[in-house]
Amino acid sequence: MKRLRDILILTIIAMNLSAIEHEDILNLRYGGVWLQDQYLSPLLYTGMQVGIGNEWWQVYSKHPGWAHVGRVDANFGWTHNAPKSNVIYALGLQGGWGSYYAWVFALAGNERTPKHSIELQLGPYLEADYMGRLIAGYINKPYSMDMSIQVEAMAGMSYAFSAKKTSYRLRYLVRTNMIGVDFVPDYWQSYYELQENGINGTVRCAGLWNHRYLNHELTFDMQFPHSTWRVGIRHEYLEYGKGDLWFSREQVSAVVGTCFRYRVDGKRNLLTER
């Protein structure tokens, strides 16, 4: 009987792992942005930005305690200096993937159907970051950019609870850089040199001593009978440079999104009737 019970347990586990649940979250953002780009101007530029992003979460099929997350974000910002004599337009793109271990604690109910639970997450995250900036009133040096690839530390905490026909999740996620590479342009390069030779500069090893990055967000997910929605706030801060040439950007955004959960059955072929 014990052997039969073990076989049944393993069969149930295999059936559950054959169709791993995916969580996909599409979000829109709107908020403020502050830019300091000493290659383009010594002045601080402030303005607004809009963005769109997508993230996906999934546990590993053979290691249920571990999971991975990926995300892609894009945003566009428009800023001006304090005298409002010039404008900088910015287009940012970010993409990353990370893996983390999750500790789940059921506070009420049981492990399969908890009514309240807390989850702690910790793991590494790899991110590529690019933001191109165009200044309107400077013909010698009109363009600048942030460009880096970083290995980051990722941590998170969430509290989930259920009610009648609904459930809710409050989640805080934070990432900070550890080690990577970034690009710093040459200060005296002109627009004409840029046309002839491209953007000259230095690709260097980057870490907390010369490249500081923080990205954190607080979100609240609300699952209703027919849809799941997200509201939240996100804060990002970046500072890097060398010598007298430094760059910084800060963005604070309100987040609105929708969440999807689905399963993929690899054994289901394209001819199978619905």
Side-chain angles (χ1 to χ4, degrees):
M1 291 296 295
K2 182 179 179 181
R3 181 176 178 81
L4 179 59
R5 184 191 64 184
D6 293 340
I7 292 175
L8 288 174
I9 292 175
L10 291 174
T11 302
I12 293 173
I13 293 175
M15 290 175 63
N16 289 336
L17 295 180
S18 64
I20 297 297
E21 186 175 69
H22 303 251
E23 182 176 8
D24 190 271
I25 304 171
L26 178 67
N27 64 79
L28 301 174
R29 304 185 306 277
Y30 178 78
V33 57
W34 296 261
L35 297 177
Q36 179 83 55
D37 189 325
Q38 295 183 349
Y39 178 80
L40 297 178
S41 171
L43 301 179
L44 176 67
Y45 281 68
T46 63
M48 307 303 294
Q49 56 101 9
V50 294
I52 184 172
N54 189 72
E55 62 186 78
W56 54 95
W57 302 72
Q58 180 189 340
V59 300
Y60 288 104
S61 59
K62 296 183 179 180
H63 304 281
W66 284 87
H68 60 93
V69 56
R71 63 191 309 157
V72 176
D73 291 290
N75 70 300
F76 175 75
W78 56 98
T79 63
H80 54 78
N81 55 26
K84 296 190 177 181
S85 59
N86 213 340
V87 178
I88 291 180
Y89 300 100
L91 177 64
L93 299 172
Q94 292 177 319
W97 180 87
S99 183
Y100 64 91
Y101 188 82
W103 292 268
V104 181
F105 305 93
L107 304 181
N110 54 60
E111 292 184 358
R112 287 186 175 274
T113 57
K115 293 183 178 180
H116 299 264
S117 67
I118 290 178
E119 180 174 323
L120 304 178
Q121 304 162 349
L122 183 64
Y125 188 87
L126 178 65
E127 181 173 50
D129 176 47
Y130 171 84
M131 174 175 275
R133 290 183 290 273
L134 182 67
I135 190 168
Y138 193 6
I139 61 172
N140 284 330
K141 294 188 293 184
Y143 181 77
S144 181
M145 62 182 177
D146 300 328
M147 187 165 58
S148 66
I149 298 177
Q150 295 284 333
V151 176
E152 301 170 356
M154 174 178 62
M157 178 179 180
S158 66
Y159 169 66
F161 59 96
S162 61
K164 186 177 181 181
K165 296 183 179 181
T166 63
S167 62
Y168 306 90
R169 178 178 60 195
L170 182 66
R171 173 187 279 168
Y172 175 74
L173 289 174
V174 59
R175 304 195 315 270
T176 185
N177 69 301
M178 299 173 63
I179 193 73
V181 294
D182 68 0
F183 174 82
V184 179
D186 292 337
Y187 182 74
W188 295 111
Q189 184 186 27
S190 71
Y191 172 63
Y192 309 102
E193 294 171 325
L194 186 149
Q195 279 188 320
E196 295 176 0
N197 306 319
I199 299 178
N200 295 321
T202 303
V203 177
R204 61 177 189 173
C205 180
L208 292 176
W209 60 93
N210 60 7
H211 188 115
R212 292 171 283 277
Y213 179 73
L214 176 68
N215 188 312
H216 58 141
E217 62 180 354
L218 179 66
T219 56
F220 185 57
D221 300 328
M222 300 165 287
Q223 178 262 320
F224 301 111
H226 301 291
S227 62
T228 302
W229 295 93
R230 161 174 291 189
V231 295
I233 186 168
R234 179 184 299 183
H235 174 240
E236 179 197 52
Y237 180 77
L238 169 67
E239 181 186 46
Y240 70 97
K242 64 177 181 179
D244 296 328
L245 184 61
W246 282 84
F247 306 82
S248 68
R249 77 171 188 250
E250 187 170 13
Q251 301 179 106
V252 178
S253 307
V255 179
V256 178
T258 182
C259 308
F260 305 92
R261 285 196 171 186
Y262 60 93
R263 294 181 184 271
V264 176
D265 188 352
K267 297 180 180 180
R268 188 181 181 91
N269 62 53
L270 298 176
L271 300 178
T272 303
E273 295 182 0
R274 296 181 180 274

